[in-house]
Amino acid sequence: MSQAFEVNFDGLVGPTHNYSGLSFGNVASTGNQRAASNPKLAAKQGLAKMKALHDLGFKQGVLAPHERPDVASLRQLGFGGTDAQVIARAAKEAPAILAAATSASCMWTANAATVSPSGDTADGRVHFTPANLNNKFHRSIEHPTTRRILQAMFADESRFAVHAALPAQMHFGDEGAANHTRFCHEYDGAGVEFFVFGASAFDTRYPKPARFPARQTLEACHAVARLHGLKEEGVVYAQQDPDTIDAGVFHNDVISVGNRNVLFHHEKSFLQQQDVLDELARKLAAVGGQFVPIEVPQAEVTVEEAVKSYLFNSQLLSRADGKMIIVVPEECRNIERVWAYLQKLVHSGGPIAEIRVFDLKQSMQNGGGPACLRLRVALSASEIAAVNPNVMMSEALFGTLNAWVDRHYRDRLAPEDLADPQLLVECRTALDELTGILGLGMVYPFQLA
Ligand code: SUG
């Protein structure tokens, strides 16, 4: 049996987690604008999922949160003076910009980067391209810190390559692994990388959504595949159905999820869906895999129900016996038809055989489900041994991080609290301690200044 694993690196929710309605096209985000958040609970909900999967025997890591508010971005926009003055001026003159600079959105690490395992790349290294997240200002400021954190975690350049983000421009809008799935027979063998885009920036023949933005371009997918040295036979591109984007499917991982040889997806996920599935089957067969698509018909779960429940924003995890666990948010249990579908699915005799439900409501209210919260990195045993060991979940790290959250996090943040300059001080104090815990070195702007 192959000694390779898929490691999930979950975003540790940062101390400024709040609801600012920043993501047009993400219906949960805009629907919960100005609600009060609970950062402490949010962080603990995320940690509980990480620990539960660790206890089930899966490899689990942690991705650190970023410094917020991002004073450097506010200064770039003309707010000057001391840090406290920068925040006070932004709060008075441009509260929406302050809210964007304060977002804890880096918690959704499916958007941190696109990752190509070493079995797929020309130079045999694991490649990472941090996503430029160019479609939303609050997310576009993440990639420089994300890159430094990834470099601190995957430092061995003989095994890992951490690229710079693509040019920060709408033509190359890149949302990372949220629009990328990798199929394989074994995690360390050759695989097929599946890139899903919302629109083409240069080629007007491709349709576009009418209401909400397409956040990922075809050109960004091509660029990442080139940077990672992927072979044409190992890549499939598909366009997301623009109507589903207009129905609130702002990332592909809201309408499909894949693991190993399985693609669990909705009937209305892609344009020319059958052709896409055929190409995936053909290319996976060429590397020794047998593709198993599981398609959910609109008659059983509508796109609207998929967006509400986040059924497809689930994690598919391979158990030792080869069967898969589906990790879903509590919201799936609350929608009768979705829950009925899931029951039928796990009793069908197919590859997905077990359901695990998690309460991730704090993140869900911003449109972030189980799959959004994790970055998957398929690694061989020797590559895992080269990862910074301090970021790997353990009984001890779980205890340390919970105590750290208890010490540093508030249990309530209302919109007016974002003007409080103390929030920055609290965040920096927390992160200063966290860099020691996770062995990250100097990754934050306040440490680099
Ligand atoms: O980019 N929400 C995130 C949710 C990201 C979910 N990720 C995946 N599907 N992989 C986004 O839209 C909302 C922040 C706010 O409104 O305060 C936000 O950024």
Side-chain angles (χ1 to χ4, degrees):
M1 203 186 126
S2 143
Q3 273 299 303
F5 302 89
E6 179 188 87
V7 188
N8 282 283
F9 291 90
D10 278 46
L12 178 57
V13 178
T16 62
H17 159 63
N18 73 92
Y19 301 116
S20 288
L22 300 171
S23 281
F24 177 63
N26 166 348
V27 289
S29 155
T30 45
N32 289 303
Q33 181 169 19
R34 301 193 67 78
S37 65
N38 184 336
K40 185 177 281 186
L41 180 61
K44 293 202 164 196
Q45 288 176 342
L47 280 167
K49 171 166 90 80
M50 294 185 227
K51 179 63 162 41
L53 298 190
H54 164 79
D55 288 348
L56 284 168
F58 296 104
K59 303 261 181 223
Q60 179 69 54
V62 182
L63 260 159
H66 297 188
E67 178 187 338
R68 293 289 180 271
D70 183 1
V71 182
S73 289
L74 294 173
R75 288 187 188 284
Q76 209 183 343
L77 295 169
F79 302 104
T82 63
D83 288 343
Q85 285 165 339
V86 167
I87 293 166
R89 276 193 61 191
K92 187 157 168 267
E93 294 169 29
I97 294 176
L98 176 63
T102 308
S103 178
S105 54
C106 67
M107 71 171 81
W108 299 296
T109 54
N111 305 116
T114 305
V115 184
S116 294
S118 53
D120 300 349
T121 63
D123 65 4
R125 294 190 294 169
V126 183
H127 284 246
F128 301 79
T129 295
N132 62 23
L133 297 169
N134 186 65
N135 192 260
K136 309 278 180 240
F137 171 63
H138 71 290
R139 304 224 57 185
S140 70
I141 57 181
E142 292 174 26
H143 69 84
T145 301
T146 300
R147 183 172 187 223
R148 286 192 294 273
I149 292 175
L150 289 173
Q151 285 168 326
M153 292 165 62
F154 302 96
D156 179 350
E157 289 181 10
S158 71
R159 295 176 191 278
F160 307 118
V162 181
H163 299 274
L166 300 183
Q169 220 285 330
M170 56 83 79
H171 290 86
F172 299 103
D174 177 18
E175 301 278 320
N179 292 321
H180 174 261
T181 304
R182 186 214 184 218
F183 298 97
C184 61
H185 181 56
E186 296 285 2
Y187 288 123
D188 58 351
V192 176
E193 300 207 9
F194 183 40
F195 289 86
V196 181
F197 59 96
S200 166
F202 290 104
D203 191 336
T204 51
R205 287 171 302 177
Y206 290 89
K208 288 183 163 52
R211 188 171 168 223
F212 291 145
R215 289 163 67 161
Q216 177 98 26
T217 67
L218 172 62
E219 291 78 3
C221 299
H222 286 159
V224 171
R226 273 191 299 271
L227 281 168
H228 293 193
L230 304 181
K231 293 190 276 296
E232 180 136 4
E233 319 86 83
V235 181
V236 175
Y237 301 97
Q239 181 166 11
Q240 211 184 315
D241 185 331
D243 291 343
T244 65
I245 295 181
D246 282 337
V249 183
F250 59 99
H251 287 138
N252 173 60
D253 68 5
V254 179
I255 202 79
S256 81
V257 56
N259 175 49
R260 293 188 86 119
N261 61 332
V262 172
L263 176 63
F264 178 54
H265 63 281
H266 193 271
E267 181 189 335
K268 294 189 179 300
S269 299
F270 317 111
L271 290 180
Q272 276 107 38
Q273 186 141 311
Q274 194 52 53
D275 294 348
V276 171
L277 301 176
D278 291 346
E279 188 180 350
L280 284 169
R282 185 165 46 77
K283 290 188 168 168
L284 187 60
V287 292
Q290 196 194 354
F291 184 56
V292 179
I294 302 177
E295 186 162 301
V296 182
Q298 172 79 359
E300 287 190 59
V301 176
T302 63
V303 172
E304 198 195 356
E305 286 166 330
V307 171
K308 275 210 181 93
S309 64
Y310 262 39
L311 170 63
F312 297 98
N313 200 260
S314 44
Q315 292 179 248
L316 291 180
L317 301 167
S318 292
R319 296 192 312 211
D321 67 357
K323 291 284 186 185
M324 294 184 194
I325 300 178
I326 185 164
V327 171
V328 297
E330 194 73 55
E331 284 71 4
C332 284
R333 196 151 45 189
N334 302 338
I335 299 180
E336 212 175 300
R337 274 160 45 89
V338 171
W339 191 242
Y341 177 84
L342 276 168
Q343 294 303 323
K344 197 176 96 178
L345 176 72
V346 293
H347 293 111
S348 66
I352 303 174
E354 184 183 342
I355 312 172
R356 295 268 168 175
V357 183
F358 287 89
D359 177 3
L360 297 164
K361 191 155 184 249
Q362 284 290 316
S363 169
M364 283 289 288
Q365 290 183 152
N366 256 337
C372 301
L373 285 162
R374 59 94 172 95
L375 181 68
R376 292 183 284 187
V377 186
L379 296 168
S380 67
S382 61
E383 287 160 355
I384 290 186
V387 177
N388 174 345
N390 302 301
V391 303
M392 297 309 293
M393 184 49 70
S394 63
E395 194 72 43
L397 184 61
F398 180 69
T400 304
L401 290 178
N402 267 296
W404 172 83
V405 168
D406 280 329
R407 271 197 304 284
H408 297 289
Y409 281 48
R410 301 189 189 187
D411 58 13
R412 186 172 196 279
L413 265 188
E416 56 277 13
D417 296 326
L418 304 190
D420 179 357
Q422 194 54 30
L423 201 52
L424 175 66
V425 177
E426 290 168 23
C427 184
R428 285 178 173 169
T429 309
L431 294 184
D432 204 35
E433 196 183 323
L434 187 69
T435 50
I437 297 170
L438 299 180
L440 295 177
M442 312 287 265
V443 292
Y444 296 114
F446 74 95
Q447 296 172 319
L448 296 168

